């Protein structure tokens, strides 16, 4: 089948994945969490380090939930798991708005949010794309996962001033209400799953322990951990970084929307390149560019803020696509949910740890410069590993674990 035929026959799947990703944890929660960071902390008198414990709560919830969610997607199909998980995300936003009265309750609710929403994150959508696209798989990843630009580019412009005027509780309720129409639209677009890609109760498939022992797990897992810690740990604090420099919430939200533009461009651009060039080379070059952005942001110079944010957004827009692409050529689609969910827990661990360390270093040094320098170094190490281990890699069979 030609690339044009793939796109023509799979447009509903592609559109459904785009909308589903727009309504996922990766879009509605992750890219908006920075907007709530300072208002929630100021309400209860928490330090920047204490509110950054939210990253640990997210870490714990995702690390525990992603492997289970991947298994459920393989067992019951993408459509049902994604729909129920998206509604779970909306319910969790409402609980955050209504029940948050202290730090520990806030952290428990964030952990619950991660558990309820894990099956509607990137796992079911990347599995669908791996199943339906071959010749233009990288581009399909880029277009569909560009749905995160809804949370990265559009929401900050409107949500940041909304929270500043109406409060963070109202902001969480607004996010909760957005999930329902998006979940229904996704459910309709995706349609029924193919019967041969859903495991029967007797088909155990790959176990998590087999995935961890796979020869590709160490190199890809290390790259993913370092990139997630550096890029996503920084993204959590972007709004706080900008307002610390004297910007208003509206100005910071508008500038941070540039991050979303870069996310979309990075996803589509990386997907296009993955279909044409060696994936190891593409990964190494992109990670090196993001490291340059971290270094520029660490200078603190006003004229460097926008180009630095655009480069950081480029990293946010590529790591998930590259991960799915590398895994998709090594494992059969029937096991993709289990495989992707397992390694995505490594991604979540890096992101949560990065966000916490960034906040702790801010409390220790009074600025984010030290963290940004560390993030740049981690990205350069990840780029080096990708260059050394992921170039000219032959697809590995699942049995090679």
């Amino acid at each position: 089948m030609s690339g044009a035929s793939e796109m023509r026959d799979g447009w509903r799947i592609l559109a459904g994945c785009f909308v589903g990703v727009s309504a996922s944890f990766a879009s509605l929660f992750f890219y908006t969490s920075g907007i709530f960071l300072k208002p929630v902390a100021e309400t209860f008198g928490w330090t920047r380090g204490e509110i950054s414990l939210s990253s640990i709560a997210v870490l714990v919830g995702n690390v525990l939930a992603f492997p289970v969610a991947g298994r459920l997607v393989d067992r019951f199909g993408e459509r049902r798991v994604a729909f129920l998980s998206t509604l779970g995300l909306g319910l969790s936003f409402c609980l955050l708005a209504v029940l948050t009265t202290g730090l520990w309750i806030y952290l428990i609710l964030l952990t619950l949010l991660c558990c309820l929403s894990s099956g509607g994150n990137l796992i079911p959508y990347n599995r669908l794309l791996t199943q339906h696209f071959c010749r233009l798989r990288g581009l399909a990843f880029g277009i569909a996962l560009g749905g995160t630009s809804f949370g990265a580019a559009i929401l900050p412009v409107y949500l940041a001033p909304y929270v500043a005027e109406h409060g963070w509780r109202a902001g969480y309720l607004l996010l909760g209400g957005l999930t329902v129409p998006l979940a229904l639209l996704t459910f309709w677009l995706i349609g029924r799953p193919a019967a041969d890609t859903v495991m029967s109760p007797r088909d155990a498939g790959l176990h998590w322990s087999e995935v961890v022992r796979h020869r590709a797990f160490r190199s890809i897992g290390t790259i993913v951990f370092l990139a997630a810690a550096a890029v996503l740990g920084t993204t959590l604090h972007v709004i706080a970084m900008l307002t610390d420099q004297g910007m208003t919430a509206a100005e910071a939200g508008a500038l941070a929307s540039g991050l979303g533009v870069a996310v979309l461009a990075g996803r589509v651009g990386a997907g296009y390149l993955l279909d044409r060039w060696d994936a190891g080379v593409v990964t190494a070059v992109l990670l090196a560019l993001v490291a340059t952005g971290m270094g520029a942001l660490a200078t603190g110079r006003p004229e460097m803020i926008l180009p630095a944010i655009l480069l950081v957004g480029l990293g946010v827009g590529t790591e998930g696509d590259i991960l799915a692409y590398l895994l998709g050529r090594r494992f059969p689609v029937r096991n993709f949910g289990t495989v992707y969910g397992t390694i995505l827990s490594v991604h979540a661990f890096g992101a949560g740890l990065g966000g916490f360390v960034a906040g702790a270093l801010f409390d220790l040094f009074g600025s984010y410069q030290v963290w940004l320098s560390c993030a740049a170094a981690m990205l350069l190490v990840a780029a080096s590993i990708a260059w050394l281990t992921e170039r000219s890699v032959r697809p590995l069979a699942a049995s090679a674990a």
Side-chain angles (χ1 to χ4, degrees), residues 56-382:
I56 300 299
V58 171
L59 180 158
V60 171
N62 283 335
V63 167
L64 294 176
F66 279 146
V68 177
R71 198 68 165 182
L72 290 175
V73 170
D74 282 343
R75 173 64 185 87
F76 297 104
E78 303 90 355
R79 194 170 180 248
R80 285 179 288 180
V81 176
F83 179 74
L84 293 175
S85 293
T86 304
L87 295 182
L89 176 62
L91 174 63
S92 299
F93 279 132
C94 296
L95 293 177
L96 281 169
V98 175
L99 299 182
T100 300
T101 56
L103 181 59
W104 285 108
I105 294 177
Y106 183 67
L107 297 178
I108 291 171
L109 290 175
L110 286 178
T111 305
L112 178 64
L113 180 148
C114 295
C115 293
L116 293 180
S117 66
S118 60
N121 209 334
L122 304 182
I123 299 172
Y125 307 115
N126 280 334
R127 187 180 191 272
L128 273 170
L129 296 172
T130 301
Q131 173 186 338
H132 287 276
F133 293 90
C134 181
R135 296 181 63 87
L136 296 181
R137 181 178 294 171
L139 182 60
F141 281 144
I143 293 173
L145 301 186
T148 56
S149 61
F150 177 68
I154 299 174
L155 279 180
V157 177
Y158 300 100
L159 187 61
Y162 182 85
V163 169
E165 181 177 355
H166 300 285
W168 56 270
R169 295 184 189 274
Y172 277 134
L173 290 174
L174 178 63
L175 289 177
L178 283 174
T179 62
V180 177
L182 291 175
L184 291 172
L185 181 57
T186 303
F187 191 74
W188 175 72
L189 283 170
I190 289 178
R192 295 188 177 277
D196 60 348
T197 62
V198 178
M199 293 193 302
S200 68
R202 296 182 180 180
D203 185 5
L206 286 176
H207 192 268
W208 299 307
S209 60
E210 294 179 273
V211 175
V212 174
R213 292 197 305 269
H214 198 283
R215 286 178 292 175
F217 187 88
R218 283 177 292 180
S219 61
I220 297 176
T222 302
I223 294 168
V224 166
F225 174 81
L226 293 172
V231 176
L232 303 185
T234 300
T235 305
L236 176 65
H237 292 266
V238 162
I239 297 291
M241 289 180 191
L242 298 178
T243 54
D244 283 347
Q245 296 187 19
M247 294 184 184
T248 65
E251 290 171 339
L255 187 57
S257 68
L259 184 75
V261 175
V263 168
L264 180 59
R267 290 201 184 282
V268 177
Y272 179 84
L273 294 175
L274 286 170
D275 287 330
R276 287 159 177 80
W277 293 352
D278 185 276
V281 175
V282 173
T283 303
V285 171
L286 289 174
L287 290 176
L289 287 174
V290 182
T292 303
M294 293 291 182
L297 201 57
T299 65
R301 297 171 59 182
E303 67 272 17
M304 298 299 295
I305 292 177
L306 181 58
I309 285 179
L310 292 176
L311 284 174
V312 172
L314 181 68
V316 179
T318 58
E319 30 81 34
D321 307 39
I322 290 173
L323 170 59
Y325 189 91
L326 294 178
L327 294 176
R329 60 183 186 171
R330 289 169 169 83
F331 297 93
V333 68
R334 290 168 65 83
N335 300 123
F336 185 85
T338 301
V339 174
Y340 192 70
T342 302
I343 205 165
L344 202 58
S345 67
V346 176
H347 181 279
F349 184 77
L353 187 61
F356 172 72
V357 172
L361 289 177
F362 177 89
D363 285 347
L364 185 61
F365 295 100
S367 73
Y368 288 105
Q369 270 69 29
V370 174
W371 162 253
L372 291 169
S373 299
C374 293
M378 287 189 289
L379 286 164
L380 290 176
V381 172

